[in-house]
Amino acid sequence: GPLLRAIRSLYNRCKSLVRIEGAESVLCPRLNGHGAVTRYYSSDSKDDLHVRYLDGEDSGIVVVGINRPKAKNAINKNLVKMMFEAVEDIKKNKKVRSVILCSLVPGIFCAGADLKERAKMHQSEVGPFVSKARALITELGNLPVPTIAAIDGAALGGGLEMALACDIRISSNTAKMGLVETKLAIIPGAGGTQRLPRVIGVSLAKELIFAARVVDGTQAQQMGLVSHSVEQNNSGDAAYLRALELAREINPQGPIAIRMAKLAINQGIEVDLSTGLAIEEACYSQVIPTKDRLEGLSAFKEKRQPQYKGE
């Protein structure tokens, strides 16, 4: 029946995730001391996004940094294009273990849509652009590896929708967050009406969206919008540094297991428990024949740290 077909489809998706072919890592600028983000200021559209594949002990961590200081990191056509390319590269690269989405501009995560660009669009262009932004955020949410949004400043409208598509959100206590679209007589159009209720509950999400309310990092943690709210530091990257700590916790674990766990959770949360358990079984079956599973057992027996290769 339909359930069996759905499980078979998921089983095939599990297999395809495990067998993703590795891609060459993109050459990216190094981070400065202990993983802190280097700030960039440029009017060149090629600098709107910086993607860094970390190396050494942090190999496997990818940092995606938004860098549009003059536009408060607002989402325009070029940024959407560059982020699509970055997400595609990450998706193809078997060596990636986790992704941190952050800002390279102090005090701002992302102020939402670029309203200056939007004002110049013909009415017929608005719908397709919003659809493209929605598709981008969906692709971000569908990345097979853990994604962490490091919110060190204002995340409003589409900026918060991007963060909501990530698996985990970490903010500074001074960061400001809100879906404020109703102030402009529109509604969240890149997943906000769907993801926010799933994260914080229907009634509270309605309150925030109806009132276009903005909350700070401390309030966001209290309502479950972010997992951690950390005190901001002098360099303005406290949430990023906490996100890096978390990525370093994830890094040593079995990469195929992490991918399967994410898939099982994401698919299972949308269905009844019985179907969810069948999804878990389908995902579990993919880790049984891996070399990493045998390495984990050997390391436990020999009382050493396992060395997982994603095989």
Side-chain angles (χ1 to χ4, degrees):
L3 175 59
L4 186 59
R5 285 197 297 274
I7 296 298
R8 279 178 180 156
S9 172
L10 180 78
Y11 183 85
N12 290 331
R13 188 174 167 195
C14 289
K15 287 202 293 187
S16 70
L17 271 179
V18 172
R19 291 174 183 171
I20 288 172
E21 293 298 321
E24 290 299 315
S25 289
V26 179
L27 290 175
C28 301
R30 296 277 306 271
L31 299 185
N32 63 25
H34 33 242
V37 179
T38 304
R39 309 292 187 184
Y40 290 91
Y41 298 94
S42 170
S43 58
D44 191 332
S45 63
K46 290 184 290 187
D47 289 329
D48 284 357
L49 195 73
H50 287 265
V51 182
R52 298 170 179 77
Y53 286 68
L54 305 194
D55 55 17
E57 290 185 3
D58 289 338
S59 180
I61 300 172
V62 182
V63 179
V64 178
I66 307 172
N67 183 56
R68 301 193 68 221
K70 291 180 180 177
K72 295 184 178 179
N73 284 350
I75 302 165
N76 67 347
K77 290 179 180 178
N78 185 60
L79 184 61
V80 168
K81 176 177 173 288
M82 293 186 75
M83 287 193 72
F84 256 119
E85 291 169 358
V87 167
E88 280 302 306
D89 287 342
I90 289 166
K91 196 161 51 173
K92 294 173 186 172
N93 193 329
K94 192 180 176 184
K95 294 178 182 177
V96 174
R97 303 284 181 96
S98 61
V99 176
I100 299 172
L101 177 64
C102 67
S103 165
L104 302 185
V105 182
I108 289 288
F109 177 76
C110 173
D114 189 331
L115 297 181
K116 288 183 180 178
E117 182 182 76
R118 180 75 58 88
K120 295 174 184 174
M121 286 183 188
H122 187 271
Q123 188 172 332
S124 62
E125 295 179 274
V126 176
F129 173 73
V130 173
S131 294
K132 193 84 183 281
R134 186 186 302 118
L136 166 65
I137 290 173
T138 299
E139 283 298 295
L140 178 64
N142 287 338
L143 277 173
V145 295
T147 51
I148 307 165
I151 306 169
D152 272 306
L156 304 172
L160 182 55
E161 287 176 306
M162 264 199 291
L164 284 166
C166 294
D167 298 310
I168 300 161
R169 284 158 298 285
I170 296 172
S171 76
S172 69
N173 59 340
T174 57
K176 304 293 184 184
M177 286 157 269
L179 296 178
V180 296
E181 284 85 350
T182 54
K183 280 187 177 180
L184 295 170
I186 57 174
I187 70 169
T193 63
Q194 302 306 303
R195 290 192 178 93
L196 187 62
R198 283 165 166 80
V199 170
I200 66 171
V202 174
S203 183
L204 192 52
K206 284 178 177 177
E207 186 177 328
L208 264 58
I209 290 171
F210 295 167
R213 185 180 300 156
V214 175
V215 298
D216 64 25
T218 304
Q219 294 168 312
Q221 185 183 24
Q222 289 168 350
M223 63 180 63
L225 178 53
V226 301
S227 301
H228 307 279
S229 175
V230 293
E231 188 171 350
Q232 189 54 283
N233 58 27
N234 291 334
S235 53
D237 60 357
Y240 167 74
L241 293 176
R242 181 66 185 85
L244 189 59
E245 282 180 27
L246 179 55
R248 286 168 174 162
E249 281 187 69
I250 294 168
N251 230 17
Q253 317 313 326
I256 296 174
I258 296 289
R259 288 172 179 240
M260 290 300 104
K262 175 169 176 172
L263 183 60
I265 294 167
N266 283 1
Q267 296 290 319
I269 204 71
E270 301 292 341
V271 298
D272 63 273
L273 180 60
S274 177
T275 308
L277 291 171
I279 289 169
E280 181 183 84
E281 184 177 1
C283 291
Y284 195 104
S285 69
Q286 297 305 305
V287 301
I288 294 172
T290 62
K291 293 178 183 177
D292 280 352
R293 187 182 74 88
L294 299 178
E295 164 63 11
L297 290 172
S298 296
F300 178 78
K301 184 180 177 182
E302 296 162 16
K303 297 181 179 178
R304 60 174 175 80
Q305 287 295 316
Q307 300 297 316
Y308 296 126
K309 296 179 180 177
E311 298 175 357

